[in-house]
Amino acid sequence: MKKRFTALALCVMLILSLCARSEKKTEAKTGSALSEDYSTSIYVCGTWGNFEALDAAAQLFNKEFPNIQVVYEQLGNYGSDLNNRFASGENVDIYTTDWLLSNDERYSYYTDNALELDLDFSSVDERYLQTGLVDGKQFAVPIYAHSYGLMVNEDLLAKYNLSVPADFDEFINCCDTLKNGGIYPVLEADRLFTTQFFLSNVLSDVLRSDKAEEQAEAILNGKDSEGYLAESLSMLENVYNSDYIHPDSASLEDNYNSAIMRFFEGDIAFVPFNTSNFSGTKKREAKSENFSAEPFKYSFVPAFSNDGYGHVVQQLGTVYMSIFDGVEEEKLPYVKAFLQFLIDDEGSAELARVKNMPTSNMNTGCKEFPYLDKLEKDDIYYVGMNRENDTMLRLNQLVRAASLCIEPGKSAENLLEESIDSLSRE
């Protein structure tokens, strides 16, 4: 009897010890000891039609907090609808934000209604984290990473003894070889994606320079002194003048669903894309009769630059999350705990797996984006998108404006002049 009592006592002590450790872990992350019996609904407002990855992550979160329901809602007119939620305080605990808004006074209500975040951000690269910083306040945390690149049909390249191109010369060689074989190699889902793909070289060259601030300021003043813009324009014109673009590009209904479905027909080698759009591929494989009948290996690779894939420029901007500063005091620790879960390893890995997009978490990769795991930390460049680094933010905005103003034959100087003018009129 004594032995049984001792064993029971040890068992109880072990359980209490485990609970205490779990409680300490939760308290260390959120600043509060939380009860797994607490019942509530956490409302997340966003712009996406659905957020299946968030649902999947919430199911994992429910293993620890089974009585908390996470409700995602797409708001129609996001700005005004979100403002109404702020005013009423109803059905809004977490809301998504856009990086561009952090530097635009017209959207200051995103920041004005945000709670200053005091989470454990150790899993997020500090440079990336700073993009959600405004006036020294961490008002938003990045969830997904975003970059421009190419969706590549690797099996089609292999049929012609070609490898996935690692720089512009290899890309042109692939296109020429395929064109000689009677194939239009490039599907242009959206002209903006194509221009952004090549103009990302401007950001890349500036960010890697020892005189980044000086060179950025020169471009912002309309001077392409290092020839970065001229070189990118030359690369772009080469593509358009070489008749690589597939004629079906003009008949695509949209730059997302129809572009992916056309790519799955198997006769397209490259689609200038971004990680956000690429995330829709997995859900469409089974919807494509061609792909189901003859599946092929495909991947996403980042926009290459002068050193190939020696580094990557992350354009960001996909999903940032903020906590509404009007969340009830009793509920707030659980809202924080959920957002903490999303940026920690387990939640972030689930977001990456289901959405098929790389996240802000440095410890969890995504099998579809292996290049991120191969690169050293300092070889991943996060474009400045906050007031703390205003020069790079303005340069990124200028490059985006330039990508909308490109026309055949336009010089770098004229393009800069027009882009600067377009920004001044916004």
Side-chain angles (χ1 to χ4, degrees):
M1 182 67 124
K2 186 176 182 181
K3 288 182 179 179
R4 290 177 59 188
F5 178 80
T6 302
L8 179 61
L10 288 173
C11 183
V12 171
M13 288 175 65
L14 177 61
I15 292 173
L16 291 174
S17 174
L18 290 173
C19 290
R21 275 186 234 165
S22 175
E23 185 176 277
K24 284 182 180 179
K25 181 180 178 182
T26 302
E27 187 171 1
K29 290 281 188 177
T30 64
S32 303
L34 306 182
S35 168
E36 62 180 26
D37 297 324
Y38 185 76
S39 179
T40 191
S41 293
I42 295 177
Y43 294 93
V44 182
C45 297
T47 58
W48 287 354
N50 60 68
F51 205 156
E52 295 169 347
L54 186 71
D55 293 338
Q59 290 179 26
L60 293 180
F61 181 72
N62 286 148
K63 290 181 179 180
E64 184 174 358
F65 300 102
N67 299 318
I68 294 180
Q69 179 185 24
V70 176
V71 180
Y72 173 75
E73 182 181 1
Q74 179 192 28
L75 301 184
N77 189 337
Y78 193 64
S80 61
D81 288 352
L82 187 60
N83 240 335
N84 290 335
R85 295 291 175 91
F86 290 153
S88 68
E90 297 179 356
N91 296 347
V92 54
D93 299 307
I94 295 174
Y95 57 97
T96 64
T97 58
D98 187 297
W99 61 263
L100 278 176
L101 303 181
S102 68
N103 199 49
D104 193 326
E105 293 296 338
R106 292 175 298 175
Y107 301 98
S108 61
Y109 57 85
Y110 280 83
T111 304
D112 295 341
N113 288 280
L115 182 76
E116 185 168 5
L117 301 177
D118 55 354
L119 307 178
D120 178 355
F121 298 116
S122 58
S123 64
V124 182
D125 189 298
E126 183 180 357
R127 299 165 301 166
Y128 197 175
L129 189 64
Q130 287 178 355
T131 64
L133 195 70
V134 174
D135 297 333
K137 177 183 178 182
Q138 193 71 49
F139 83 96
V141 59
I143 301 297
Y144 283 114
H146 177 86
S147 57
Y148 288 91
L150 291 175
M151 183 160 58
V152 181
N153 184 333
E154 295 189 25
D155 284 358
L156 180 59
L157 293 181
K159 288 181 181 179
Y160 288 82
N161 297 315
L162 298 169
S163 301
V164 176
D167 56 36
F168 184 67
D169 290 339
E170 290 184 13
F171 172 71
I172 293 298
N173 177 62
C174 287
C175 288
D176 284 338
T177 301
L178 293 168
K179 192 70 173 63
N180 292 334
I183 293 175
Y184 287 99
V186 181
L187 182 72
E188 191 169 52
D190 189 313
R191 195 162 185 268
L192 175 62
F193 293 167
T194 307
T195 55
Q196 279 279 29
F197 178 89
F198 289 102
L199 286 182
S200 66
N201 272 287
V202 176
L203 297 170
S204 168
D205 289 334
V206 170
L207 289 167
R208 289 185 299 141
S209 170
D210 293 334
K211 301 179 179 179
E213 285 285 325
E214 180 181 323
Q215 293 179 2
E217 287 292 352
I219 294 173
L220 288 167
N221 289 320
K223 299 175 183 178
D224 186 30
S225 55
E226 302 295 324
Y228 294 153
L229 190 61
E231 182 178 20
S232 294
L233 289 178
S234 176
M235 295 166 71
L236 189 58
E237 287 184 10
N238 193 346
V239 172
Y240 282 119
N241 294 337
S242 299
D243 201 24
Y244 296 146
I245 308 298
H246 198 290
D248 285 357
S249 302
S251 60
L252 294 177
E253 294 180 2
D254 59 70
N255 61 17
Y256 181 59
N257 180 69
S258 61
I260 294 172
M261 296 300 284
R262 179 63 187 86
F263 174 71
F264 279 161
E265 292 183 24
D267 61 337
I268 300 291
F270 306 111
V271 182
F273 234 30
N274 58 32
T275 52
S276 301
N277 283 39
F278 184 76
S279 70
T281 54
K282 291 298 181 185
K283 290 188 291 186
R284 286 163 178 77
E285 288 181 358
K287 296 180 180 180
S288 170
E289 294 182 4
N290 296 78
F291 189 85
S292 298
E294 297 184 52
F296 55 85
K297 183 180 180 182
Y298 66 94
S299 60
F300 180 92
V301 295
F304 40 70
S305 56
N306 296 332
D307 70 341
Y309 292 130
H311 68 281
V312 172
V313 174
Q314 296 289 56
Q315 293 270 30
L316 315 177
T318 304
V319 174
Y320 284 73
M321 285 187 173
S322 300
I323 294 178
F324 175 47
D325 67 357
V327 177
E328 297 173 4
E329 184 176 352
E330 181 184 22
K331 182 180 182 180
L332 182 58
Y334 297 89
V335 175
K336 287 183 178 181
F338 180 60
L339 186 53
Q340 181 71 62
F341 180 77
L342 295 181
I343 62 175
D344 283 346
D345 292 358
E346 185 181 10
S348 186
E350 188 70 355
L351 289 176
R353 183 188 71 81
V354 177
K355 187 60 178 173
N356 196 30
M357 280 184 68
T359 67
S360 60
N361 187 302
M362 296 183 295
N363 306 320
T364 59
C366 181
K367 66 178 182 178
E368 302 300 339
F369 304 91
Y371 58 86
L372 291 174
D373 292 328
K374 294 178 181 178
L375 291 170
E376 295 294 330
K377 175 182 176 180
D378 291 341
D379 290 326
I380 300 177
Y381 292 84
Y382 299 100
V383 181
M385 296 182 179
N386 58 316
R387 294 185 180 119
E388 305 300 315
N389 194 0
D390 190 52
T391 303
M392 296 306 167
L393 169 60
R394 290 186 293 120
L395 178 62
N396 189 37
Q397 291 172 327
L398 181 62
V399 169
R400 289 172 65 88
S403 67
L404 295 170
C405 299
I406 289 178
E407 293 178 5
K410 186 176 291 185
S411 70
E413 288 71 21
N414 288 340
L415 179 60
L416 279 177
E417 181 180 358
E418 186 174 337
S419 304
I420 292 171
D421 181 62
S422 70
L423 284 178
S424 67
R425 287 186 274 105
E426 286 188 0

XYZ file of all heavy atoms in Angstrom, residues 61-129:
578
model
N -3.556 25.229 -32.184
C -3.660 26.082 -30.994
C -4.705 25.518 -30.029
O -4.537 25.588 -28.810
C -4.026 27.497 -31.438
C -4.146 28.502 -30.329
C -3.018 28.968 -29.660
C -5.385 28.999 -29.956
C -3.120 29.914 -28.646
C -5.505 29.939 -28.938
C -4.367 30.399 -28.286
N -5.757 24.927 -30.606
C -6.847 24.380 -29.780
C -6.428 23.149 -28.982
O -7.146 22.736 -28.065
C -8.056 24.035 -30.650
C -8.814 25.247 -31.125
O -9.385 25.255 -32.201
N -8.812 26.301 -30.322
N -5.299 22.558 -29.312
C -4.825 21.429 -28.511
C -4.483 21.892 -27.095
O -4.605 21.141 -26.147
C -3.598 20.792 -29.172
C -3.913 20.056 -30.467
C -2.663 19.422 -31.059
C -2.994 18.659 -32.337
N -1.780 18.027 -32.935
N -4.031 23.124 -26.979
C -3.717 23.685 -25.667
C -4.888 24.463 -25.096
O -5.124 24.455 -23.890
C -2.490 24.588 -25.754
C -2.045 25.128 -24.401
C -0.734 25.906 -24.481
O -0.153 26.002 -25.580
O -0.289 26.421 -23.439
N -5.635 25.120 -25.995
C -6.786 25.921 -25.556
C -8.023 25.470 -26.341
O -8.429 26.112 -27.321
C -6.517 27.408 -25.789
C -5.316 27.933 -25.057
C -4.118 28.156 -25.703
C -5.382 28.181 -23.691
C -3.011 28.638 -25.037
C -4.280 28.661 -22.997
C -3.088 28.881 -23.665
N -8.623 24.348 -25.935
C -9.721 23.748 -26.709
C -11.008 24.565 -26.743
O -11.858 24.339 -27.606
C -9.944 22.405 -25.996
C -9.437 22.625 -24.604
C -8.281 23.553 -24.744
N -11.144 25.522 -25.832
C -12.399 26.275 -25.759
C -12.308 27.654 -26.402
O -13.197 28.482 -26.210
C -12.823 26.416 -24.293
C -13.064 25.074 -23.633
O -13.664 24.182 -24.236
N -12.582 24.908 -22.408
N -11.239 27.866 -27.163
C -11.094 29.145 -27.869
C -11.341 28.923 -29.357
O -10.670 28.118 -30.004
C -9.699 29.754 -27.651
C -9.526 30.153 -26.177
C -9.497 30.973 -28.540
C -8.179 30.771 -25.857
N -12.309 29.637 -29.875
C -12.636 29.542 -31.297
C -12.033 30.738 -32.029
O -12.215 31.882 -31.614
C -14.153 29.526 -31.499
C -14.569 29.441 -32.961
C -16.077 29.551 -33.144
O -16.770 30.120 -32.301
N -16.584 29.023 -34.253
N -11.312 30.462 -33.109
C -10.750 31.534 -33.931
C -11.664 31.735 -35.135
O -11.920 30.807 -35.899
C -9.324 31.200 -34.399
C -8.798 32.298 -35.328
C -8.396 31.038 -33.194
N -12.157 32.948 -35.290
C -13.094 33.265 -36.371
C -12.425 34.248 -37.327
O -12.060 35.368 -36.935
C -14.393 33.894 -35.817
C -15.351 34.214 -36.958
C -15.036 32.964 -34.800
N -12.249 33.826 -38.574
C -11.679 34.734 -39.585
C -12.809 35.314 -40.416
O -13.736 34.614 -40.822
C -10.703 34.004 -40.503
C -10.233 34.862 -41.659
C -9.298 35.878 -41.443
C -10.751 34.702 -42.938
C -8.885 36.689 -42.476
C -10.341 35.519 -43.984
C -9.413 36.509 -43.745
O -9.011 37.326 -44.781
N -12.711 36.621 -40.715
C -13.737 37.284 -41.518
C -13.089 38.223 -42.528
O -12.241 39.044 -42.177
C -14.686 38.077 -40.625
C -15.809 38.758 -41.392
C -16.737 39.557 -40.489
O -16.501 39.600 -39.270
O -17.692 40.164 -41.027
N -13.483 38.066 -43.786
C -13.050 38.999 -44.824
C -13.973 40.208 -44.801
O -15.194 40.065 -44.881
C -13.083 38.350 -46.206
C -12.671 39.302 -47.332
C -12.977 38.752 -48.716
O -13.909 37.955 -48.876
N -12.195 39.143 -49.700
N -13.392 41.400 -44.698
C -14.182 42.626 -44.736
C -14.221 43.143 -46.161
O -13.199 43.163 -46.845
C -13.586 43.678 -43.797
C -13.479 43.278 -42.317
C -12.968 44.455 -41.493
C -14.814 42.785 -41.779
N -15.381 43.572 -46.606
C -15.551 44.003 -47.992
C -14.760 45.252 -48.318
O -13.745 45.217 -49.011
N -15.210 46.393 -47.836
C -14.482 47.643 -47.990
C -13.584 47.761 -46.775
O -13.974 48.327 -45.751
C -15.470 48.814 -48.067
C -14.794 50.109 -48.444
O -13.589 50.267 -48.248
N -15.565 51.035 -48.985
N -12.390 47.221 -46.896
C -11.595 46.926 -45.701
C -11.366 48.143 -44.805
O -11.580 48.074 -43.592
C -10.247 46.325 -46.109
C -9.507 45.703 -44.939
C -10.049 44.612 -44.273
C -8.299 46.216 -44.494
C -9.400 44.035 -43.199
C -7.638 45.643 -43.418
C -8.184 44.556 -42.772
O -7.546 43.989 -41.699
N -10.943 49.253 -45.393
C -10.634 50.427 -44.589
C -11.808 50.925 -43.781
O -11.738 51.059 -42.548
N -12.922 51.188 -44.463
C -14.087 51.741 -43.763
C -14.732 50.717 -42.844
O -15.164 51.041 -41.725
C -15.119 52.266 -44.773
O -15.580 51.220 -45.620
N -14.804 49.456 -43.292
C -15.405 48.413 -42.456
C -14.588 48.193 -41.186
O -15.141 48.014 -40.099
C -15.514 47.095 -43.224
C -16.587 47.134 -44.300
O -17.345 48.122 -44.338
O -16.667 46.186 -45.102
N -13.254 48.225 -41.337
C -12.396 48.027 -40.174
C -12.529 49.206 -39.210
O -12.575 49.025 -37.988
C -10.943 47.860 -40.614
C -9.936 47.475 -39.524
C -10.314 46.139 -38.899
C -8.524 47.409 -40.097
N -12.624 50.397 -39.765
C -12.804 51.583 -38.924
C -14.105 51.493 -38.126
O -14.167 51.913 -36.966
C -12.816 52.845 -39.793
C -11.703 53.799 -39.416
O -11.221 53.786 -38.294
N -11.289 54.626 -40.355
N -15.142 50.967 -38.758
C -16.418 50.790 -38.051
C -16.267 49.793 -36.906
O -16.866 49.968 -35.834
C -17.500 50.312 -39.021
C -17.907 51.386 -40.017
O -17.756 52.575 -39.746
N -18.409 50.976 -41.168
N -15.473 48.748 -37.134
C -15.229 47.762 -36.075
C -14.467 48.408 -34.918
O -14.733 48.138 -33.754
C -14.432 46.575 -36.622
C -15.161 45.758 -37.674
C -16.335 44.988 -37.093
N -17.088 44.305 -38.111
C -16.851 43.047 -38.512
N -15.878 42.356 -37.962
N -17.597 42.498 -39.437
N -13.512 49.247 -35.273
C -12.750 49.945 -34.228
C -13.684 50.797 -33.368
O -13.564 50.851 -32.141
C -11.678 50.840 -34.845
C -10.530 50.108 -35.488
C -9.817 50.696 -36.519
C -10.168 48.840 -35.053
C -8.746 50.039 -37.108
C -9.098 48.168 -35.642
C -8.392 48.768 -36.669
N -14.609 51.472 -34.039
C -15.524 52.378 -33.331
C -16.465 51.612 -32.408
O -16.728 52.040 -31.282
C -16.319 53.201 -34.339
N -16.945 50.461 -32.891
C -17.896 49.686 -32.087
C -17.199 48.753 -31.107
O -17.770 48.400 -30.066
C -18.801 48.854 -33.004
O -18.052 47.832 -33.662
N -15.965 48.354 -31.455
C -15.234 47.406 -30.610
C -15.751 45.990 -30.718
O -15.369 45.119 -29.928
N -16.593 45.715 -31.712
C -17.200 44.396 -31.855
C -16.499 43.566 -32.944
O -16.186 44.071 -34.028
C -18.691 44.527 -32.195
C -19.506 45.204 -31.090
C -20.967 45.337 -31.476
O -21.309 44.965 -32.620
O -21.752 45.830 -30.647
N -16.298 42.311 -32.633
C -15.783 41.324 -33.589
C -14.480 41.746 -34.261
O -14.300 41.580 -35.471
C -16.835 41.015 -34.662
C -18.078 40.373 -34.079
O -18.081 39.941 -32.927
N -19.130 40.322 -34.855
N -13.567 42.295 -33.490
C -12.223 42.581 -33.998
C -11.235 42.476 -32.827
O -11.330 43.216 -31.861
C -12.132 43.965 -34.682
C -12.639 45.076 -33.764
C -10.696 44.252 -35.122
N -10.351 41.516 -32.930
C -9.288 41.349 -31.937
C -7.923 41.455 -32.607
O -7.019 42.104 -32.108
C -9.416 39.988 -31.239
C -10.724 39.848 -30.495
O -11.032 40.737 -29.679
O -11.450 38.864 -30.731
N -7.804 40.808 -33.763
C -6.588 40.860 -34.582
C -6.999 41.301 -35.975
O -8.049 40.891 -36.481
C -5.906 39.474 -34.648
C -5.398 39.065 -33.257
C -4.753 39.478 -35.646
C -4.842 37.644 -33.198
N -6.191 42.150 -36.591
C -6.509 42.564 -37.961
C -5.220 42.608 -38.783
O -4.129 42.822 -38.261
C -7.224 43.923 -37.995
C -6.485 45.068 -37.356
C -5.725 45.948 -38.126
C -6.557 45.301 -35.985
C -5.048 47.020 -37.548
C -5.895 46.357 -35.394
C -5.142 47.215 -36.182
O -4.468 48.275 -35.608
N -5.375 42.364 -40.070
C -4.207 42.359 -40.955
C -3.941 43.770 -41.466
O -4.861 44.581 -41.607
C -4.402 41.406 -42.146
O -5.491 41.860 -42.959
C -4.684 39.992 -41.678
N -2.678 44.043 -41.712
C -2.278 45.352 -42.214
C -1.375 45.172 -43.422
O -0.897 44.083 -43.709
C -1.518 46.155 -41.143
O -0.371 45.404 -40.735
C -2.385 46.430 -39.956
N -1.137 46.247 -44.128
C -0.297 46.250 -45.318
C 0.923 47.107 -45.033
O 0.815 48.174 -44.440
C -1.084 46.840 -46.495
C -0.347 46.715 -47.810
O 0.736 47.317 -47.935
O -0.839 46.022 -48.716
N 2.092 46.653 -45.482
C 3.314 47.400 -45.154
C 3.306 48.816 -45.722
O 3.846 49.729 -45.123
C 4.550 46.654 -45.634
C 4.636 46.415 -47.107
C 4.274 45.283 -47.772
C 5.135 47.308 -48.100
N 4.504 45.416 -49.116
C 5.033 46.652 -49.351
C 5.660 48.595 -48.065
C 5.438 47.238 -50.540
C 6.055 49.176 -49.257
C 5.935 48.503 -50.474
N 2.699 49.036 -46.870
C 2.692 50.381 -47.446
C 1.960 51.372 -46.550
O 2.269 52.558 -46.530
C 2.028 50.359 -48.827
C 2.903 49.922 -50.006
C 2.079 49.865 -51.273
C 4.083 50.867 -50.192
N 0.990 50.869 -45.803
C 0.196 51.758 -44.970
C 1.002 52.365 -43.830
O 0.631 53.383 -43.278
C -1.005 50.995 -44.406
C -1.931 50.343 -45.438
C -3.071 49.642 -44.741
C -2.464 51.370 -46.425
N 2.109 51.713 -43.481
C 2.889 52.201 -42.348
C 3.591 53.523 -42.645
O 4.122 54.154 -41.750
C 3.941 51.154 -41.942
O 4.928 51.012 -42.947
N 3.589 53.940 -43.895
C 4.242 55.202 -44.232
C 3.268 56.176 -44.891
O 3.674 57.121 -45.545
C 5.425 54.942 -45.171
C 6.403 56.102 -45.201
O 6.812 56.591 -44.175
N 6.754 56.546 -46.396
N 1.983 55.926 -44.721
C 0.975 56.758 -45.365
C 0.024 57.302 -44.299
O -0.725 56.551 -43.666
C 0.201 55.921 -46.394
C -0.634 56.777 -47.329
O -1.135 57.822 -46.870
O -0.789 56.411 -48.505
N 0.075 58.608 -44.101
C -0.726 59.235 -43.045
C -2.228 59.052 -43.252
O -3.016 59.119 -42.306
C -0.401 60.728 -42.970
C 1.012 61.029 -42.496
C 1.259 60.568 -41.071
O 0.277 60.405 -40.320
O 2.434 60.373 -40.714
N -2.650 58.788 -44.502
C -4.077 58.592 -44.758
C -4.611 57.356 -44.044
O -5.815 57.228 -43.822
C -4.330 58.457 -46.263
C -4.074 59.726 -47.060
C -4.232 59.462 -48.542
N -3.264 58.476 -49.022
C -3.252 57.991 -50.264
N -4.158 58.384 -51.137
N -2.347 57.110 -50.624
N -3.710 56.441 -43.717
C -4.133 55.201 -43.079
C -3.599 55.105 -41.647
O -3.349 54.010 -41.139
C -3.654 54.004 -43.899
C -4.173 54.012 -45.315
C -3.395 54.481 -46.367
C -5.460 53.566 -45.600
C -3.874 54.503 -47.667
C -5.956 53.583 -46.898
C -5.151 54.054 -47.923
O -5.639 54.072 -49.207
N -3.453 56.242 -41.027
C -2.887 56.259 -39.671
C -3.766 55.526 -38.667
O -3.293 55.105 -37.613
C -2.667 57.696 -39.202
O -3.893 58.401 -39.166
N -5.055 55.335 -39.002
C -5.942 54.666 -38.050
C -5.529 53.209 -37.835
O -5.862 52.600 -36.822
C -7.402 54.749 -38.505
C -7.703 54.178 -39.875
C -7.957 52.823 -40.039
C -7.760 54.995 -40.996
C -8.254 52.289 -41.281
C -8.052 54.490 -42.234
C -8.292 53.130 -42.382
O -8.581 52.611 -43.624
N -4.778 52.623 -38.782
C -4.283 51.264 -38.576
C -3.345 51.237 -37.373
O -3.380 50.327 -36.560
C -3.519 50.781 -39.812
C -4.394 50.294 -40.939
C -4.955 51.181 -41.841
C -4.666 48.935 -41.084
C -5.747 50.736 -42.873
C -5.472 48.483 -42.109
C -6.013 49.388 -43.010
O -6.809 48.941 -44.025
N -2.499 52.248 -37.306
C -1.540 52.343 -36.207
C -2.208 52.877 -34.947
O -1.955 52.391 -33.842
C -0.378 53.271 -36.593
O 0.219 52.787 -37.788
C 0.655 53.315 -35.495
N -3.071 53.882 -35.107
C -3.702 54.530 -33.960
C -4.538 53.552 -33.131
O -4.717 53.745 -31.924
C -4.595 55.686 -34.422
C -3.794 56.812 -35.067
O -2.569 56.855 -34.834
O -4.388 57.617 -35.811
N -5.056 52.514 -33.783
C -5.913 51.554 -33.085
C -5.196 50.262 -32.735
O -5.832 49.282 -32.332
C -7.148 51.242 -33.937
C -8.116 52.403 -33.990
O -8.891 52.611 -33.069
N -8.057 53.172 -35.067
N -3.876 50.252 -32.912
C -3.102 49.048 -32.653
C -2.496 49.059 -31.257
O -2.076 50.100 -30.753
C -1.997 48.899 -33.694
N -2.466 47.900 -30.651
C -1.817 47.731 -29.355
C -0.318 47.553 -29.589
O 0.100 46.862 -30.520
C -2.376 46.487 -28.678
C -1.868 46.163 -27.278
C -2.529 47.099 -26.269
C -2.184 44.712 -26.931
N 0.488 48.182 -28.770
C 1.927 47.966 -28.891
C 2.229 46.535 -28.463
O 1.898 46.113 -27.359
C 2.707 48.953 -28.027
C 4.201 48.824 -28.223
C 4.973 49.970 -27.599
O 4.336 50.822 -26.933
O 6.202 50.013 -27.777
N 2.861 45.789 -29.356
C 3.081 44.366 -29.132
C 4.289 44.121 -28.228
O 5.361 44.681 -28.451
C 3.274 43.652 -30.473
C 2.109 43.778 -31.466
C 2.447 43.097 -32.780
C 0.835 43.181 -30.866
N 4.095 43.269 -27.236
C 5.185 42.927 -26.323
C 5.396 41.412 -26.303
O 5.549 40.801 -25.255
C 4.899 43.440 -24.911
C 3.560 42.942 -24.378
O 2.817 42.297 -25.142
O 3.259 43.182 -23.195
N 5.401 40.807 -27.492
C 5.546 39.365 -27.621
C 7.020 38.973 -27.662
O 7.911 39.825 -27.652
C 4.830 38.891 -28.894
C 3.366 39.300 -29.058
C 2.832 38.793 -30.394
C 2.529 38.776 -27.912
N 7.252 37.677 -27.725
C 8.599 37.150 -27.897
C 8.862 37.053 -29.398
O 8.322 36.191 -30.085
C 8.700 35.771 -27.246
C 10.076 35.142 -27.425
O 10.917 35.730 -28.132
O 10.301 34.058 -26.866
N 9.686 37.944 -29.918
C 9.949 38.011 -31.357
C 11.260 37.334 -31.750
O 11.782 37.578 -32.833
C 9.998 39.477 -31.815
C 8.713 40.224 -31.614
C 8.648 41.296 -30.748
C 7.574 39.856 -32.300
C 7.465 42.004 -30.566
C 6.381 40.549 -32.129
C 6.325 41.628 -31.258
N 11.775 36.486 -30.903
C 13.099 35.905 -31.151
C 13.162 35.055 -32.418
O 14.241 34.837 -32.970
C 13.539 35.068 -29.948
O 12.598 34.039 -29.665
N 12.015 34.578 -32.910
C 12.017 33.733 -34.108
C 11.946 34.545 -35.405
O 12.042 33.990 -36.498
C 10.838 32.749 -34.070
O 9.609 33.445 -34.114
N 11.765 35.857 -35.280
C 11.636 36.719 -36.464
C 12.912 37.538 -36.646
O 13.412 38.135 -35.683
C 10.424 37.666 -36.325
C 10.265 38.523 -37.582
C 9.157 36.862 -36.065
N 13.431 37.564 -37.866
C 14.621 38.358 -38.151
C 14.355 39.815 -37.772
O 13.325 40.385 -38.131
C 14.958 38.267 -39.643
C 16.300 38.887 -39.983
O 16.458 40.110 -39.771
O 17.186 38.168 -40.463
N 15.292 40.393 -37.029
C 15.106 41.757 -36.526
C 14.860 42.754 -37.656
O 14.058 43.679 -37.528
C 16.326 42.179 -35.715
C 16.186 43.561 -35.086
C 17.405 43.957 -34.278
O 18.336 43.130 -34.165
O 17.434 45.092 -33.781
N 15.545 42.560 -38.787
C 15.368 43.476 -39.922
C 13.957 43.389 -40.480
O 13.368 44.385 -40.913
C 16.392 43.160 -41.010
C 17.845 43.309 -40.580
C 18.761 42.642 -41.579
N 18.444 41.215 -41.707
C 18.902 40.443 -42.688
N 19.672 40.955 -43.631
N 18.585 39.165 -42.743
N 13.421 42.177 -40.481
C 12.054 41.978 -40.965
C 11.066 42.551 -39.953
O 10.077 43.194 -40.317
C 11.821 40.484 -41.170
C 10.639 40.118 -42.025
C 10.396 38.792 -42.366
C 9.743 41.065 -42.506
C 9.319 38.423 -43.149
C 8.656 40.717 -43.292
C 8.449 39.387 -43.604
O 7.375 39.030 -44.384
N 11.337 42.323 -38.697
C 10.451 42.804 -37.639
C 10.320 44.324 -37.683
O 9.252 44.883 -37.437
C 10.999 42.359 -36.285
C 10.109 42.569 -35.068
C 8.849 41.741 -35.185
C 10.862 42.198 -33.802
